[in-house]
Every structure is written in C-alpha cells, then in structure tokens.
C-alpha cells in the first residue's frame, strides 16, 4: 500500500518528501499557548452534518416553473 501522499515508493527516503501530519500543519499558524479556542474549527460542526440547500419554497418554485412550461407547450403547440 502506498503512502498517504501518494509518493513513489522508490522516493520514500528522499528528504524532500517529508510532510507534516494534519495536526502539525494546522497548528503551524497558531501560537503554542493560545488563550482563545480556534475561531474556525476544522472538520466541520458536529451539530449539523449535512444541511440540504433546497427548501420547500425553492422546490415549489421550481415545480411551478416546470408546470408553466409544460402547460405552455400543451396549450400552444
């Protein structure tokens, strides 16, 4: 199995192929002893894993427009 960064196995010992872990990478721009929690937590919020962008009003509007087009084609051929 390859490495997580898809590095060619023949180049594993090359010093240029050293990548930090996600924790090291994201901690790079934060002070070591920060007083405030991170304002943009990475990994998403735990409360709403997936919110669909379409509301019932949007769905009704799209259905109404499709209905108008179909009726227009049916009534005025």
């Amino acid at each position: 199995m390859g490495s997580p960064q898809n590095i060619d196995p023949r180049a594993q010992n090359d010093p240029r192929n050293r990548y930090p872990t996600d924790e090291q990478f994201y901690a790079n721009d934060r002070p070591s002893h920060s007083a405030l929690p991170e304002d943009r937590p990475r990994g998403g919020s735990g409360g709403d894993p997936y919110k669909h962008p379409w509301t019932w009003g949007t769905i009704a509007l799209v259905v109404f427009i499709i209905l108008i087009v179909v009726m227009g084609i049916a009534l005025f051929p």
Side-chain angles (χ1 to χ4, degrees):
M1 185 169 160
S3 67
Q5 289 85 14
N6 295 326
I7 298 172
D8 186 354
R10 297 169 292 185
Q12 286 291 336
N13 295 328
D14 190 340
R16 295 172 291 181
N17 290 332
R18 299 291 177 239
Y19 297 98
T21 63
D22 288 343
E23 290 80 18
Q24 292 169 338
F25 180 81
Y26 289 122
N28 204 16
D29 61 346
R30 297 203 22 97
S32 58
H33 301 292
S34 58
L36 297 174
E38 188 171 358
D39 60 344
R40 293 173 288 136
R42 291 159 176 100
S45 64
D48 189 12
Y50 180 74
K51 182 179 178 184
H52 200 281
W54 290 64
T55 62
W56 285 110
T58 307
I59 293 171
L61 180 65
V62 169
V63 169
F64 180 71
I65 291 172
I66 292 172
L67 185 64
I68 294 292
V69 170
V70 169
M71 286 177 54
I73 293 171
L75 295 176
F76 304 103

